[in-house]
Amino acid sequence: MMTVCGCLWGCGAKGSGSSGAAAAGGGDLAYPKEAATTLGAENYEVTEGNTNRSMASKYEEAYGGEDYNTEEYNYIHENGYKKVSEQPLSTFSIDVDTASYGNVRRMIRSGAPVPADAVRVEEMINYFDYDYPEPKEGEAFSVTTEYGDCPWNEDHRLLLIGLKAKEIDFHSRPASNLVFLLDVSGSMYSDDKLPLVQKAFTMLAENLNSNDRVSIVTYAGYESVVLDGVPGNKTAMIAAALEDLEAGGSTAGAAGIEKAYELAEKNFIPGGNNRVILATDGDLNVGISSQGGLTRLIQEKKKSGVHLSVLGVGSGNLKDNKMEALADNGDGNYSYLDSLYEAKKVLVDEMGGTLVTVAKDVKIQVEFNPEYVAGYRLVGYENRVLRNEDFNNDKVDAGEIGAGHTVTALYEIIPGGEGGQTLKYQTKTKSVGSTELLTVSLRYKAPNGNKSKGIEYPVEADSYRPELSENLMFASAVAEFGMILRDSDNRGNATFEHVMELAEACVHRDSDEYRKEFLELVQQCMNRNGSNKMDG
């Protein structure tokens, strides 16, 4: 079958390393020509074979192949159930990152095992758009709630909380001051890394204008300034600078970060989008290189008002833990690029959401009514859980939401009255007689603000509907899929077949290509693993 090669130039290579790339989920990162054409990539070469010597081979000759998987992921301790009688409040930060889905897709397509800690269920759910209403005039986002049956546990129910950020007229968007911070170390010298990054940033540059400013900083053994604040309409100059990049050497990431922020502050646009966009496999090994050290560095740098977004690439030595920490603490987002297909989604189709923040430090707190809810479990968001007292504390950082973005969260709910363990030295709290199931409270700041504002959305107990809406049905299908991949203790009756049944009902002829591709990934898992779980 004809494919669009993951290296973008039709070389047909399968990434760096020999056995290491395969073990880590490397392999052909191509997508069908039909998908590429649909997503606007029809101008890139399509081939059936490899007639040229791949860059990966050159890398192996110069630096040696990778013989084992050195990818790193933070441990995820999955959220368990809480008794409402003991913990009626649940507080967390929103998350618009989508890296986990792209990374998991890469592993599934290559036939590699999927590590449980690579699966962040909320990022998989939030990879997709949902049909939420536009915000009302003067509001940063709309809030939608739905309450229905839980597809993987017939004794439980499922609550959906959905946010939709306001769209912007992209032609009248704030000017952008962008610093492309590019890893050009030796580990980036493979077809699914630097060549993909070069083409991805060229695509972004083609959508900038004269009001924007672009700088390019590279780092390997040392940092280097390639461009400094050139106008965004100098597309040919930016593209040529990107094309001339070559990879080699060690990885002094911290020095590159320091220089990138220096340029971002030098070219700062008041009221504009000031952002460093880091593209790397995360393998930082010179200077400050620990996750903790990098986190502290970024927490200090973000005080300048410059955001940091991270694009992960490659396989075999991907340092997902470091990249997630950088984006989370840099008031930005984290995406994983496994193909030109994904680069176009992140940097072109969703450019407003990726680059233009409409609300920051967005926190959600849910208060459950013990009259109707016995227990609950937040699905995903494990590394975004906050202390209840942090909700009103404006010094506590939380996630950002970009223009047009949707954010979806699910709670698995155990319905019931004021049941629960009777304590010897406590009496049951009396019901206030409310008809409300729960209250969703939100706090957020303006993009350039320091003081948050709060809003509340009560949900009535009679809002329960046994028939799932398409939003809730598709989100639950993706959640089930993630729980199976993680082999979650909370997966209930989830199977790949059931995921497919739910998702197929939500995918129509006019559905976007990403939902259609989801069905392909589920089918591939079914073919490989049967009904219940991933092997490995």
Side-chain angles (χ1 to χ4, degrees), residues 157-193:
R157 292 181 181 173
L158 206 58
L159 172 73
L160 176 146
I161 301 172
L163 310 184
K164 171 65 183 292
K166 65 181 180 181
E167 300 279 359
I168 62 169
D169 179 358
F170 199 74
H171 295 291
S172 60
R173 64 178 170 82
S176 291
N177 163 36
L178 304 178
V179 181
F180 301 166
L181 176 56
L182 310 180
D183 183 350
V184 294
S185 62
S187 68
M188 291 290 288
Y189 208 166
S190 65
D191 299 315
D192 58 348
K193 295 185 181 180

Side-chain angles (χ1 to χ4, degrees), residues 170 173 201-209 212 232 235 347-349 351:
F170 199 74
R173 64 178 170 82
F201 278 91
T202 299
M203 292 170 66
L204 172 57
E206 290 169 350
N207 288 274
L208 301 177
N209 59 43
D212 302 317
T235 307
L347 295 176
V348 179
D349 298 343
M351 185 177 178

Side-chain angles (χ1 to χ4, degrees), residues 33 41 107 109 129 191 211 228 236 239 242 295 316-317 346 354 358 367 371 379 392 404 429 460 463 505:
K33 179 181 179 182
M107 297 175 191
R109 286 198 175 277
D129 288 329
D191 299 315
N211 295 322
D228 183 352
L242 290 166
T295 295
N317 66 334
V346 173
T354 302
V358 299
E367 180 180 358
E371 179 124 3
V379 180
N392 293 307
T429 302
E460 292 291 325
S463 64

